Amino acid sequence: MATDSDSESEVFEITDFTTASEWERFVSRVEEVLNDWKLIGNSAGNFSPEKGAYTSGTWGEKSQDIHFADFKFCITHYFLIQECEKDDEKDKFEEDTFPLAIQDLMCMNNDFPPRAHCLVRWYGIREFVVITPGSNCEAIISESKCNLLLSSISISLANSGCQIPMLVQVQQKWRRMYAGECQGQGVRTDFEMVHLRKVPSQYYHVSGLLDIFKSKIGCPLSSLPQVNIAIRFTYILQDWQQHSWPQQPPDFDTLLGGEVGGVEFGKLPFGACEEPVSELHLATTWPHLTEGIVVDNDVYSDLDPLQAPHWSVKVRTAENPQCLLGDLLTEFFKLCCRKESIEEILGKGLTEDEGKEINDIGSALSKLTEPATTVPISKMSVANMVHSARKHIRRHRRIDESPLNTDVLNSVLLYLFPDAAVERTPENSKNKTAQANSCGKMEQDKNSDYNLFLQLKSAPIDSLTYRLALCVCLVNYYHGGLRAVAHLWQEFVLELRYRWENNYLICGLAGGPPDLRCCLLHQKLQMINCCIERKKARDEARKVLEGSEKKVSRMSSGYLKSLSVPESATVMSTGSISTKEVSPGKSWDSWSDSEDEFFECLSDQGESEAPPADEEKDGSKSKAEGRLHPYNNMTLLNSSEPLYVPITQEPAPMTEDLLEEQSEVLAKLGTSAEGSHLRARMQSACLLSDMESFKAANPGCVLEDFVRWYSPRDYVEEEVVHKKDNTVLKGKLSARMMIPGNMWVEAWQTARVTPARRQRRLFDDTKEAEKVLHYLTMQKPADLTCHLLPCIIHSTILKLKEEESVEDIPSIKKNIQQAICQASKLLHPTIQDYKKLEDFINQLIAMETVITQARSLKAKFSISESEKRDDTDELKKFVTSLLEDPEVEVIGAGQGSTGRIIYRLFINAQKAALLTPKDEDFVHDRKTTGANNRVPDFPSPAGREILLRARVPRPAPYSKPLPQRLFCVLMREEFRLAGAFSSDTSFF
Amino acid sequence: MEEDILTTLKILIIGESGVGKSSLLLRFTDDTFDPEQAATIGVDFKVKTISVDGNKAKLAIWDTAGQERFRTLTPSYYRGAQGVILVYDVTRRETFTKLDNWLNELETYCTRNDLVKMLVGNKIDKENHELDRAEGLKFARKHSMLFIEASAKTRDGVQCAFEELVEKIIQTPGLWQNENHGRGVQLTDEDAGGGTCGGYCSLV
């Protein structure tokens, strides 16, 4: 209409819409929508949809709101998305072919589609438009309103020339009543429907329905053309009898009691606690029958399901069946949202009783060890942290009123710290730890999933962190939830402290510095181990060096105090500063906690004799100390002594949060020259320490010697021709090393002659260990959960993989791979997205459910790995398709091997049902049971669908023969007739 | 000013000692050259904002010491880098042959495996080349890196190197966005096919 006014604007013709009624506006609005969606024009074609296309193809849907006065409707276009039909074919179709929808009425390729819109099922059409009342609007119930709507669409269709069927939904929504029509090529098809709650007895069988069909058509011919009949009976099996769900829920009480012990803590539970497959639907179909062939009336029926030519099965799965792994995960994840701290959960009593007791010692200690002004750890917390070895005695006292049962706690701790079982002599623990570590490594290498922990940023399988995650998860689920988790965590941290204080390495962690690829908690635990290792080495060295050494160390501590240049130089390597504490002028003493602690190397002891008590000047012959090995046969420049590589201090191990902190500090210094200089200073501790060690190992050395070892390219050698024609290699420092006042020279001048073992520690293990332990103590259960989440997801994925490999379900295999990719994205960022994680966990749970369904079905169809029969493969395929496809055909129907198993399932269920007649509802079915006193093999069908089709001229004998169709649904509480009756609009 | 910055990128510069890492950086950030640039201790840090294709990016560039001993210290700072510049000296073959070690180091300490790598052959202003362009190209191709020859002294290629690297990073999806807008994995294809009509999908 808009275009009209454009082209004829010069005519000054006025198009007046002002008188249009609401009804007219509605009609034109519908036309507009049809125009917009390009649904107008000839839809005819010659092709009929392929067999099964309605199920395998994809359906499209488009919708829009339209108004009738102030009443809102929703108009929706449903269509099967088809591949582009060939153009040449389109050209060929004859003038008078019916619209596609009318042809579809007769097409037999897609009767009873397993999953489709109900209108597709009832009318067999592949494309249609539906108008439904808006979501918040009342239904169209009165007859006049219905008729108004129907006439509106009739006019719209006629005006627009749309050949797609259009239907309106009338009556209450739940009744799914539709009416409508389709027009085109001189044919009109009316879609009509009857819906009742009870099936009238005369229509309970095919013959009665045929009567309705015939009378509705009102055939003008003397002999009615043959009616084509398709029938489907659906039987439901709910009672699985002896094939009931084989898995018993585990006995939670005995699971971890006594004899089973801690072994179970290594395993996640798996499987459904209830039957995950609730129903089996067997559809028996007679796809091609004609009126005369089959007899089905009130006294006799030919329709024996066992003889039906076509069987298909679908299963209905229980909605969210309770599955063990899923529950475990959900409960664990819920902990993330708890805000309580350990103290709030366990009460003051449990956390503080020992704190009070040793409070005095604690504060005394902190006075001794902490320069309280600069160390961020409060005195009180230090008191809390300091823990005596007496805790084991105390533990017994407390345990009675504690949330976690003593036996469980002990078995968990034993599982986490297996070396605790062996008596702890230092030797013993060392061997054991070494063993445990190497053992773990071997396994990891073998495991093809080894790299998974890298992707998920969790921790290696069987590492302490990983096992802790499993324990926390299980303790949360089975042994008391949040309180138990808090208790376990408290005990865990106490054990760590015990180990730190008594020099027992923590087993189950790879040695070396924290692995930054693992989760932070794992790094922290590794850090404690680093500290223990250093402390142990120091203590052992000290034992050996007892006596004479003592005196000297005291003296050298005096030197160290007088040393002024490095200032904040050690800061970086102790890794203990927080951002605001960077103040370059500050004396470095303030960063230290213990003046008397030195880096003492064990390997030093061999050559350690009482070192000279007096300071000697550089270059003088003094006793060399702390040599590692000669360096490349080089000799010192100023003497013939070989150049030795010194024993050096190892750099400080770091966890990622420390690194982050330090990068920030370094970055904060800015980009100015001073900033750069300060940065270099802060990082020169290591250089200075190496220089001191070098000087001690190479008495009489010069900076050039040091550079030759440390940065060989900064020592430039040139051939210099002497007077006497013999060339001599002459070396000198590179230009950049000779810049006056550069840091290398400066550091060299500052460096004392001190072997590594007597240097100030670059890495203050005492402080670092306390920091980590403090950090761990402060973690709330929710924090702990977040720390451990990657490990739990890691082990869940492994568990799913393991269980899937038993069942071999391709779709799950694919999903697991996708899940790994997704997890690696979700778990890496520092801020975890709670909502996304929750969705992700639900996906994992869904996989568990599918696996349990497969397991249940295999049990029901007697597939077992042990006894392989010749039909096993066929059955396996059948079960796999049941999980993936909406409906699966039973090969050989009732006569095939699968069919026989299904038949037996029904017989067993029937026997059981009739032995205990409790369901009165069965009585209303007309049963032959009473007559021959025999248990019927099948229950009465839950649903019967009967489809009647004929090509009959209407309304006059000389009209074109047109498709007529009646689809009947008979269920216990529903009787529905969906009819599509066509009539000739040209010849009537 | 700050608002129109698209993103902040972390870039690393690594390579053997004395190849001119700090000089390259200084040329890029301050457009200066000091033949007596002091040897870096540990790591150093510079910031520069550049505009590539109309996108402003703030670069936090971490310069590292090349000495063997510092390698226990510096890799800690590799974390989270989106781009890395590997530098060698075209007049010293051994700085080129050691590149494999540096790549290994990157592999071990980098938190992401999709970071963009650029190979820079420095000091092309000098005369006594021990390596020609082809060798650098070959190495870069083998390890899927960007490649350029440059001279911090004469400015050649320096600006270009950083710009190319940033452009590449910005083009790499998921490398620099803070949020990953990844779609969830579709685990079930239920409800995908077939229209729904009040949840009704089958007879019963």
Side-chain angles (χ1 to χ4, degrees):
Chain A
M1 285 162 233
T3 49
D4 280 354
S5 58
D6 273 338
S7 56
E8 295 167 26
S9 52
E10 20 177 275
V11 189
F12 298 110
E13 187 180 337
I14 294 168
T15 316
D16 181 7
F17 290 111
T18 53
T19 57
S21 64
E22 293 290 356
W23 176 68
E24 283 169 296
R25 262 184 236 140
F26 178 71
V27 170
S28 74
R29 187 77 195 98
V30 172
E31 283 171 45
E32 265 173 53
V33 172
L34 293 177
N35 265 308
D36 287 350
W37 290 348
K38 300 192 170 58
L39 300 181
I40 45 169
N42 201 333
S43 77
N46 243 340
F47 68 107
S48 51
E50 307 246 315
K51 203 160 180 62
Y54 286 8
T55 314
S56 59
T58 44
W59 287 81
E61 198 179 313
K62 218 190 265 180
S63 64
Q64 198 174 321
D65 287 344
I66 50 171
H67 287 84
F68 193 128
D70 54 355
F71 193 94
K72 196 168 92 179
F73 285 99
C74 182
I75 179 165
T76 310
H77 177 218
Y78 295 93
F79 52 99
L80 179 68
I81 298 167
Q82 286 157 313
E83 303 93 75
C84 284
E85 53 259 54
K86 288 157 203 155
D87 287 303
D88 51 330
E89 234 176 276
K90 206 167 184 179
D91 297 334
K92 268 190 272 170
F93 73 85
E94 306 109 77
E95 268 283 290
D96 57 346
T97 45
F98 305 133
L100 270 183
I102 297 179
Q103 296 177 49
D104 285 345
L105 294 175
M106 301 302 286
C107 175
M108 318 239 307
N109 285 345
N110 285 287
D111 292 344
F112 315 115
R115 201 166 58 190
H117 191 284
C118 54
L119 288 171
V120 176
R121 198 173 171 83
W122 295 332
Y123 294 120
I125 44 183
R126 75 184 88 168
E127 186 176 17
F128 52 95
V129 174
V130 181
I131 296 176
T132 49
S135 47
N136 293 322
C137 299
E138 61 208 85
I140 308 298
I141 296 183
S142 81
E143 195 152 348
S144 62
K145 277 188 189 170
C146 294
N147 287 337
L148 187 66
L149 266 179
L150 281 172
S151 44
S152 306
I153 63 166
S154 186
I155 294 167
S156 303
L157 288 175
N159 283 347
S160 61
C162 172
Q163 298 193 349
I164 292 164
M166 191 185 292
L167 297 101
V168 289
Q169 183 166 19
V170 294
Q171 304 297 340
Q172 292 84 351
K173 275 192 179 170
W174 63 266
R175 297 183 67 184
R176 283 182 282 130
M177 292 273 285
Y178 295 86
E181 68 175 58
C182 176
Q183 301 177 2
Q185 314 292 358
V187 182
R188 195 182 79 222
T189 302
D190 291 303
F191 296 91
E192 299 163 6
M193 205 170 283
V194 170
H195 178 248
L196 299 171
R197 287 295 285 269
K198 282 266 184 286
V199 184
S201 60
Q202 68 268 37
Y203 302 131
Y204 211 85
H205 35 73
V206 175
S207 58
L209 296 166
L210 267 172
D211 289 344
I212 305 184
F213 186 55
K214 286 178 190 159
S215 68
K216 182 69 195 172
I217 294 171
C219 181
L221 300 180
S222 51
S223 71
L224 180 75
Q226 232 176 16
V227 178
N228 184 299
I229 307 172
I231 299 174
R232 164 176 282 207
F233 287 180
T234 301
Y235 299 89
I236 296 179
L237 179 74
Q238 283 166 313
D239 182 2
W240 297 101
Q241 284 303 307
Q242 71 265 47
H243 293 294
S244 67
W245 182 228
Q247 175 162 347
Q248 293 300 313
D251 185 347
F252 298 156
D253 295 328
T254 61
L255 184 67
L256 296 156
E259 67 269 29
V260 187
V263 183
E264 291 298 317
F265 275 110
K267 289 181 184 133
L268 289 178
F270 188 89
C273 301
E274 54 189 314
E275 174 59 66
V277 179
S278 54
E279 289 175 0
L280 180 139
H281 294 193
L282 168 67
T284 58
T285 311
W286 292 264
H288 297 281
L289 296 174
T290 44
E291 203 181 338
I293 288 179
V294 64
V295 179
D296 180 47
N297 55 34
D298 50 0
V299 289
Y300 176 79
S301 175
D302 279 336
L303 300 172
D304 176 6
L306 207 52
Q307 303 303 321
H310 189 273
W311 275 24
S312 55
V313 169
K314 65 171 113 185
V315 288
R316 173 167 287 183
T317 52
E319 262 177 60
N320 303 320
Q322 194 198 5
C323 290
L324 291 172
L325 182 60
D327 270 16
L328 187 87
L329 266 182
T330 314
E331 290 302 316
F332 181 74
F333 191 59
K334 275 185 196 158
L335 287 182
C336 285
C337 306
R338 303 300 291 254
K339 296 200 167 57
E340 301 93 323
S341 67
I342 298 279
E343 193 179 86
E344 281 161 350
I345 295 163
L346 298 180
K348 295 253 172 191
L350 279 174
T351 43
E352 258 187 16
D353 58 346
E354 68 187 323
K356 282 242 164 62
E357 201 174 302
I358 51 171
N359 196 8
D360 298 340
I361 311 166
S363 52
L365 265 177
S366 67
K367 256 175 216 146
L368 274 177
T369 57
E370 309 286 343
T373 45
T374 49
V375 174
I377 305 168
S378 74
K379 276 185 202 171
M380 192 54 218
S381 58
V382 170
N384 274 341
M385 291 187 310
V386 175
H387 167 73
S388 76
R390 276 175 292 163
K391 65 148 180 153
H392 283 287
I393 310 158
R394 193 171 291 118
R395 189 184 277 166
H396 278 292
R397 182 168 56 78
R398 287 196 320 216
I399 220 80
D400 302 328
E401 70 259 29
S402 65
L404 194 53
N405 171 288
T406 318
D407 293 338
V408 175
L409 179 65
N410 284 340
S411 57
V412 173
L413 287 176
L414 199 62
Y415 168 70
L416 291 174
F417 302 101
D419 58 339
V422 188
E423 202 175 332
R424 271 197 277 223
T425 65
E427 260 74 0
N428 224 335
S429 85
K430 194 183 191 177
N431 291 343
K432 184 83 187 180
T433 313
Q435 245 173 31
N437 284 342
S438 69
C439 203
K441 237 173 212 153
M442 288 272 280
E443 261 170 52
Q444 287 161 7
D445 289 341
K446 271 185 242 158
N447 200 324
S448 59
D449 295 324
Y450 174 68
N451 281 327
L452 192 53
F453 82 90
L454 298 180
Q455 285 184 57
L456 302 180
K457 201 164 163 52
S458 65
I461 305 164
D462 280 340
S463 65
L464 176 63
T465 323
Y466 189 87
R467 281 180 287 139
L468 174 69
L470 294 178
C471 289
V472 168
C473 207
L474 291 166
V475 160
N476 177 50
Y477 191 53
Y478 293 129
H479 301 289
L482 184 65
R483 279 171 57 77
V485 168
H487 186 192
L488 171 62
W489 178 241
Q490 196 185 36
E491 293 291 334
F492 183 82
V493 177
L494 283 178
E495 176 67 28
L496 294 182
R497 173 166 291 285
Y498 176 83
R499 281 169 183 260
W500 155 243
E501 285 172 359
N502 295 285
N503 287 359
Y504 297 123
L505 280 176
I506 303 162
C507 61
L509 296 169
D515 188 342
L516 301 178
R517 300 167 304 175
C518 295
C519 64
L520 182 60
L521 185 65
H522 188 75
Q523 294 177 32
K524 295 268 183 198
L525 298 179
Q526 283 185 304
M527 187 67 152
I528 298 183
N529 246 4
C530 287
C531 296
I532 295 174
E533 218 162 329
R534 297 270 175 111
K535 184 171 157 226
K536 225 166 128 177
R538 208 152 26 87
D539 286 355
E540 274 164 33
R542 185 177 292 155
K543 249 179 245 162
V544 179
L545 297 175
E546 243 161 33
S548 61
E549 203 67 34
K550 226 174 213 168
K551 212 171 143 196
V552 178
S553 73
R554 231 178 254 133
M555 295 180 74
S556 47
S557 97
Y559 301 146
L560 285 164
K561 263 191 180 146
S562 65
L563 195 68
S564 59
V565 170
E567 293 189 65
S568 56
T570 47
V571 165
M572 287 322 292
S573 46
T574 54
S576 59
I577 34 164
S578 66
T579 321
K580 56 176 182 292
E581 286 170 338
V582 180
S583 58
K586 205 167 233 172
S587 157
W588 69 308
D589 282 355
S590 65
W591 303 110
S592 84
D593 59 344
S594 46
E595 297 291 304
D596 283 330
E597 302 275 27
F598 295 99
F599 182 86
E600 309 214 32
C601 293
L602 195 56
S603 44
D604 246 5
Q605 48 187 280
E607 29 155 358
S608 65
E609 261 123 69
D614 297 299
E615 167 79 345
E616 291 185 50
K617 282 174 188 129
D618 287 349
S620 70
K621 285 275 175 214
S622 62
K623 178 83 181 156
E625 282 186 282
R627 286 173 166 173
L628 190 61
H629 58 75
Y631 182 67
N632 292 353
N633 296 326
M634 279 188 190
T635 54
L636 296 182
L637 292 169
N638 295 338
S639 73
S640 56
E641 281 285 307
L643 192 156
Y644 279 93
V645 174
I647 293 165
T648 49
Q649 289 202 48
E650 278 168 51
M654 300 267 226
T655 53
E656 66 185 31
D657 52 342
L658 281 180
L659 271 170
E660 200 66 45
E661 224 172 76
Q662 296 205 351
S663 310
E664 247 169 63
V665 170
L666 289 183
K668 276 230 169 83
L669 291 175
T671 54
S672 63
E674 300 82 63
S676 272
H677 189 75
L678 204 53
R679 212 165 8 238
R681 266 250 157 114
M682 290 171 74
Q683 297 174 87
S684 64
C686 192
L687 180 65
L688 185 74
S689 151
D690 288 346
M691 282 178 171
E692 294 189 339
S693 309
F694 188 83
K695 279 186 175 178
N698 298 290
C701 62
V702 290
L703 177 59
E704 280 83 348
D705 290 316
F706 178 76
V707 167
R708 283 198 295 165
W709 164 56
Y710 212 83
S711 180
R713 272 188 282 279
D714 281 305
Y715 185 73
V716 193
E717 287 186 322
E718 277 175 349
E719 288 183 354
V720 178
V721 184
H722 268 247
K723 292 168 199 166
K724 288 175 185 174
D725 266 14
N726 53 344
T727 57
V728 175
L729 274 179
K730 179 107 173 141
K732 59 171 180 62
L733 287 177
S734 66
R736 63 176 183 178
M737 286 293 175
M738 292 199 288
I739 308 166
N742 89 69
M743 196 146 307
W744 292 67
V745 176
E746 203 178 296
W748 182 255
Q749 284 161 357
T750 318
R752 307 265 154 172
V753 185
T754 319
R757 72 186 154 87
R758 279 195 282 115
Q759 288 170 14
R760 159 173 292 275
R761 281 182 288 167
L762 288 179
F763 174 66
D764 186 341
D765 46 62
T766 319
K767 187 171 196 164
E768 287 309 312
E770 287 300 342
K771 273 176 69 184
V772 173
L773 287 168
H774 174 72
Y775 175 87
L776 297 181
T777 318
M778 290 294 111
Q779 295 298 295
K780 296 173 183 171
D783 303 327
L784 178 64
T785 313
C786 291
H787 279 303
L788 295 176
L789 191 62
C791 293
I792 283 300
I793 288 184
H794 181 181
S795 67
T796 303
I797 288 176
L798 289 185
K799 185 73 186 169
L800 286 171
K801 252 186 166 169
E802 178 196 327
E803 300 287 339
E804 186 277 329
S805 70
V806 177
E807 308 303 332
D808 190 27
I809 310 163
S811 63
I812 294 293
K813 205 168 272 162
K814 206 179 92 208
N815 286 344
I816 290 176
Q817 281 316 311
Q818 285 177 320
I820 291 173
C821 291
Q822 206 190 346
S824 69
K825 281 188 198 124
L826 282 176
L827 296 175
H828 262 291
T830 40
I831 305 152
Q832 295 178 341
D833 185 332
Y834 184 83
K835 188 76 197 75
K836 278 186 190 161
L837 277 172
E838 193 178 21
D839 290 346
F840 176 70
I841 286 173
N842 287 333
Q843 288 172 9
L844 294 179
I845 294 171
M847 287 192 241
E848 183 195 19
T849 310
V850 174
I851 295 173
T852 61
Q853 286 160 0
R855 202 159 280 175
S856 168
L857 285 173
K858 280 187 181 176
K860 292 173 187 21
F861 287 92
S862 8
I863 303 170
S864 68
E865 297 301 322
S866 51
E867 43 168 330
K868 202 169 168 89
R869 305 184 319 210
D870 29 329
D871 56 354
T872 306
D873 285 341
E874 187 194 316
L875 279 172
K876 262 190 186 165
K877 211 175 142 209
F878 176 71
V879 167
T880 311
S881 336
L882 270 182
L883 287 169
E884 284 169 6
D885 301 337
E887 192 174 272
V888 183
E889 190 185 336
V890 178
I891 297 162
Q895 314 303 322
S897 57
T898 313
R900 275 198 298 275
I901 291 176
I902 297 169
Y903 179 48
R904 235 177 289 134
L905 287 170
F906 272 102
I907 291 181
N908 290 332
Q910 277 297 94
K911 275 184 191 153
L914 291 167
L915 280 175
T916 51
K918 51 183 177 180
D919 195 355
E920 301 250 328
D921 289 343
F922 273 102
V923 180
H924 92 280
D925 287 335
R926 50 160 200 146
K927 273 191 201 139
T928 48
T929 353
N932 50 21
N933 207 10
R934 196 177 68 91
V935 178
D937 297 342
F938 287 92
S940 74
R944 303 157 197 252
E945 292 160 283
I946 293 147
L947 175 50
L948 307 172
R949 277 177 287 218
R951 212 175 269 275
V952 178
R954 265 183 95 216
Y958 46 83
S959 303
K960 273 179 286 191
L962 297 170
Q964 319 290 345
R965 171 181 170 122
L966 181 68
F967 191 89
C968 319
V969 181
L970 290 76
M971 295 201 292
R972 189 182 290 176
E973 296 214 311
E974 178 175 311
F975 175 65
R976 185 188 300 274
L977 299 176
F981 301 101
S982 318
S983 50
D984 194 329
T985 51
S986 325
F987 303 97
F988 54 92
Chain B
M1 279 290 277
E2 286 287 314
E3 285 97 81
D4 53 350
I5 285 174
L6 179 67
T7 181
T8 301
L9 301 176
K10 179 170 176 178
I11 312 270
L12 289 174
I13 306 184
I14 58 176
E16 288 293 300
S17 84
V19 295
K21 296 181 290 296
S22 304
S23 297
L24 280 172
L25 180 56
L26 209 63
R27 171 58 81 193
F28 174 63
T29 55
D30 301 3
D31 199 19
T32 55
F33 180 75
D34 181 359
E36 297 189 341
Q37 174 73 32
T40 309
I41 291 172
V43 297
D44 200 8
F45 169 83
K46 287 236 182 299
V47 176
K48 179 162 173 141
T49 303
I50 65 165
S51 168
V52 176
D53 294 341
N55 299 315
K56 268 196 181 166
K58 184 173 166 187
L59 308 184
I61 310 166
W62 292 83
D63 182 20
T64 61
Q67 281 81 7
E68 192 91 29
R69 272 292 290 176
F70 283 120
R71 277 195 223 173
T72 46
L73 194 69
T74 52
S76 322
Y77 295 95
Y78 290 10
R79 297 179 69 251
Q82 286 110 337
V84 61
I85 296 179
L86 277 107
V87 188
Y88 68 94
D89 177 350
V90 295
T91 67
R92 274 165 33 211
R93 177 162 289 278
E94 79 269 19
T95 62
F96 184 74
T97 51
K98 289 267 177 72
L99 286 174
D100 279 314
N101 298 354
W102 288 102
L103 283 176
N104 281 339
E105 203 123 296
L106 269 184
E107 186 112 329
T108 318
Y109 293 101
C110 268
T111 45
R112 35 175 121 240
N113 43 15
D114 54 351
L115 92 170
V116 180
K117 287 174 276 197
M118 167 169 268
L119 182 64
V120 175
N122 194 21
K123 305 194 187 177
I124 49 166
D125 55 290
K126 290 197 176 180
E127 274 168 10
N128 49 339
H129 287 205
E130 285 184 16
L131 292 139
D132 60 8
R133 196 182 151 74
E135 279 179 275
L137 270 175
K138 195 176 150 201
F139 186 87
R141 179 174 301 135
K142 185 176 159 198
H143 297 279
S144 333
M145 309 158 87
L146 298 164
F147 174 71
I148 195 169
E149 287 193 314
S151 163
K153 191 173 179 180
T154 64
R155 285 194 186 92
D156 281 324
V158 178
Q159 188 73 19
C160 184
F162 282 90
E163 280 174 5
E164 280 289 315
L165 182 69
V166 171
E167 194 174 340
K168 195 81 186 169
I169 292 170
I170 289 180
Q171 284 166 1
T172 308
L175 190 51
W176 55 274
Q177 288 98 333
N178 290 329
E179 292 279 328
N180 46 15
H181 301 284
R183 299 153 281 104
V185 181
Q186 184 84 25
L187 283 170
T188 47
D189 58 357
E190 296 250 332
D191 307 329
T196 48
C197 43
Y200 189 80
C201 287
S202 60
L203 171 68
V204 238

